[in-house]
C-alpha cells in the first residue's frame, strides 16, 4: 500500500474536558497518512483516481474547528472516519497533537495516534 502524508495541519478548536479549553480554545496540530494504491492515478495521471490531499486537508481542519469533544481520542476518530469516506483511501493513520494541553509540568507535546482501515 502506498502512503500520502500531510503533516502539521493547524487549526483552532475548543476540545477538552475543562471549561477554559471549551471557552478559549487552543491550537491543535494534525498529521494524516493515507494508505491507498496510487497506481491507478499514476498510470493515467488522473487526480480522480486518488485521494485529493487538498480536499482531505480542508475536511480535517473543518473537523478540528467544528463541534467540540472532550477527548482527542474522539477527535482523532472523527478525522479517521472522514478520511475513510474517500473511495481511494483504504487505511489512515491520524496523529492529533495538543501542544497546549493543560498539564502542570513542563512538556513538549501530547499526542494520540490511531490507525483505522476499511472493515
Amino acid at each position: 500500500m502506498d502512503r500520502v502524508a500531510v503533516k502539521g495541519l493547524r487549526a483552532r478548536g475548543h476540545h477538552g474536558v475543562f471549561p477554559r479549553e471549551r471557552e478559549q480554545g487552543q491550537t491543535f496540530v494534525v498529521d494524516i497518512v493515507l494508505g491507498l494504491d496510487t497506481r491507478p492515478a499514476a498510470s493515467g495521471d488522473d487526480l480522480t483516481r486518488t485521494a485529493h490531499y487538498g480536499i482531505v486537508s480542508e475536511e480535517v481542519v473543518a473537523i478540528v474547528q467544528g463541534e467540540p469533544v472532550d477527548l482527542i481520542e474522539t477527535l482523532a476518530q472523527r478525522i479517521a472516519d472522514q478520511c475513510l469516506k474517500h473511495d481511494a483511501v483504504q487505511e489512515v493513520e491520524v496523529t492529533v497533537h495538543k501542544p497546549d494541553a493543560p498539564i502542570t509540568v513542563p512538556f513538549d507535546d501530547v499526542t494520540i495516534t490511531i490507525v483505522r482501515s476499511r472493515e
Side-chain angles (χ1 to χ4, degrees), residues 12-98:
R12 190 156 188 85
H14 294 265
H15 312 288
V17 296
F18 297 114
R20 178 175 54 91
E21 293 179 291
R22 292 292 183 108
E23 293 164 7
Q24 297 176 4
Q26 61 191 291
T27 298
F28 292 83
V29 181
V30 179
D31 305 325
I32 56 171
V33 181
L34 308 174
L36 63 156
D37 183 356
T38 61
R39 290 175 291 193
S43 68
D45 199 27
D46 184 355
L47 179 61
T48 66
R49 300 185 73 192
T50 188
H52 189 308
Y53 54 80
I55 290 173
V56 174
S57 297
E58 290 171 1
E59 294 169 348
V60 168
V61 167
I63 290 168
V64 174
Q65 293 173 335
E67 180 185 348
V69 296
D70 288 344
L71 304 176
I72 59 173
E73 290 87 343
T74 306
L75 183 60
Q77 184 64 53
R78 286 183 177 180
I79 292 167
D81 291 343
Q82 181 61 41
C83 291
L84 288 169
K85 288 181 180 179
H86 293 266
D87 290 337
V89 178
Q90 297 301 307
E91 180 180 274
V92 62
E93 178 180 295
V94 177
T95 301
V96 175
H97 302 257
K98 189 175 179 180

